[in-house]
Amino acid sequence: VVIMFSFISKWWQERIIQRSTITEQQWQHAIARLPLLTQLTKEETKRLIKLSILFLHGKSLEGAHNLELTQEMKLVIALQACLPILNLGIDWYRGWISVIVYPAQFIPERNFVDEFGVEHRTKSVLSGESWHKGPVVLSWEDTEMSGIIDGSNLVIHEFAHKLDVLNGRTNGFPPLHRGMDVTRWVAALSEAYNDFQTRLHTWNDVPIDSYAASSPAEFFAVFSEVFFERPDILNHYYPKVYKQFTQFYRQDTLSRMSV
């Protein structure tokens, strides 16, 4: 039954890919906007495009605050969103549908009750959000600046949260593959997380966004950005984390930097 389901699923996916109306020229134009992707081999680029077609077929991309999403904007988002799952597969983005794109940073209002039972309303300026079983929310202004190999990538950050939460909650512990050692993952990331916080407190900074120190979930998401954008930095400061990420993402991003 499992083999039959897998066969049907692959057949259906190939059918979706073959029926795509997006031209090769449109894909190449979108890829050209993202220097990060020029490091991929031809075979990897081809697979990334196929994944992106499946992504666009299965997800709903909508503009907020009167933002009209063009075809090219959708391609730029899809290509970056699918890079982390290049060797994992589209099923890793299961369980949710919507991607909402704001023109720029947005300010959602949130209510919460403190330990004394007092209700508060907060407003925070955000570039992106990732809701458990809900949408990924992106600022187009920040998305447009992603993929330029500067160590920062909003799209990869928010979609890393989607991988992380597959274990039930965002805590920097996504479902590991068979053969990966859980204790090594925990040891590598915990050690790096503690070291990163110590460096921030002692002004011994590393060229990685300090937001990574705010929680294990943000640590995983920010370090995922660096893994794809500037793996040389990650491998230099935290080689054990880099090694764990190569096993989880099934990509050796450092080897692409010389391409």
Side-chain angles (χ1 to χ4, degrees):
V1 176
V2 174
I3 294 173
M4 177 63 75
F5 179 78
S6 177
F7 175 79
I8 293 172
S9 177
K10 286 181 180 177
W11 173 83
W12 180 246
Q13 288 180 0
E14 281 302 319
R15 188 179 173 90
I16 291 167
I17 291 165
Q18 289 168 10
R19 290 188 168 192
S20 173
T21 58
I22 305 168
T23 66
E24 181 68 22
Q25 187 177 17
Q26 287 175 311
W27 282 116
Q28 293 308 322
H29 193 66
I31 289 169
R33 289 185 54 167
L34 300 164
L36 178 64
L37 302 184
T38 61
Q39 301 174 343
L40 300 178
T41 65
K42 285 184 178 180
E43 190 272 334
E44 286 174 329
T45 302
K46 192 177 293 185
R47 279 194 291 116
L48 182 64
I49 289 173
K50 287 184 176 183
L51 270 175
S52 299
I53 291 170
L54 296 174
F55 178 88
L56 291 169
H57 177 83
K59 306 301 178 191
S60 167
L61 277 67
E62 308 156 24
H65 288 191
N66 298 318
L67 176 67
E68 189 173 329
L69 291 183
T70 64
Q71 177 78 289
E72 186 168 315
M73 290 164 76
K74 291 180 180 180
L75 299 192
V76 165
I77 291 169
L79 287 164
Q80 292 179 91
C82 290
L83 182 59
I85 59 166
L86 180 63
N87 294 329
L88 301 180
I90 197 67
D91 191 49
W92 281 73
Y93 286 157
R94 62 187 178 274
W96 59 277
I97 292 175
S98 183
V99 179
I100 300 169
V101 187
Y102 282 80
Q105 292 182 329
F106 48 97
I107 310 175
E109 289 190 11
R110 300 277 154 73
N111 295 333
F112 74 96
V113 179
D114 66 21
E115 58 185 311
F116 303 107
V118 179
E119 185 171 300
H120 303 267
R121 175 170 291 183
T122 62
K123 288 184 178 181
S124 303
V125 179
L126 300 175
S127 297
E129 281 189 309
S130 182
W131 289 77
H132 179 37
K133 295 185 178 179
V136 169
V137 187
L138 302 169
S139 149
W140 174 249
E141 191 174 76
D142 293 271
T143 299
E144 204 171 15
M145 296 303 295
S146 298
I148 58 174
I149 319 181
D150 63 350
S152 176
N153 191 301
L154 174 67
V155 182
I156 288 175
H157 181 105
E158 299 305 336
F159 282 87
H161 282 315
K162 281 297 186 187
L163 299 177
D164 187 6
V165 81
L166 286 173
N167 257 343
R169 48 191 294 222
T170 48
N171 56 5
F173 190 66
L176 301 183
H177 308 299
R178 184 177 297 173
M180 287 189 69
D181 191 322
V182 173
T183 55
R184 285 185 182 176
W185 174 276
V186 173
L189 270 71
S190 298
E191 180 184 301
Y193 183 59
N194 292 333
D195 178 77
F196 188 70
Q197 289 189 318
T198 300
R199 285 174 178 267
L200 290 179
H201 291 140
T202 57
W203 301 100
N204 183 16
D205 291 358
V206 296
I208 296 175
D209 188 352
S210 61
Y211 189 51
S214 59
S215 73
E218 297 305 341
F219 179 85
F220 173 72
V222 171
F223 271 52
S224 291
E225 295 178 64
V226 182
F227 176 74
F228 286 99
E229 288 260 349
R230 290 296 306 274
D232 53 324
I233 291 176
L234 181 57
N235 190 54
H236 176 75
Y237 287 98
Y238 301 107
K240 290 180 183 177
V241 173
Y242 177 80
K243 186 176 181 180
Q244 290 302 311
F245 277 20
T246 61
Q247 292 177 24
F248 173 68
Y249 285 110
R250 292 175 171 164
Q251 300 184 54
D252 182 5
T253 50
L254 190 59
S255 68
R256 292 180 186 146
M257 292 199 75
S258 57
V259 174

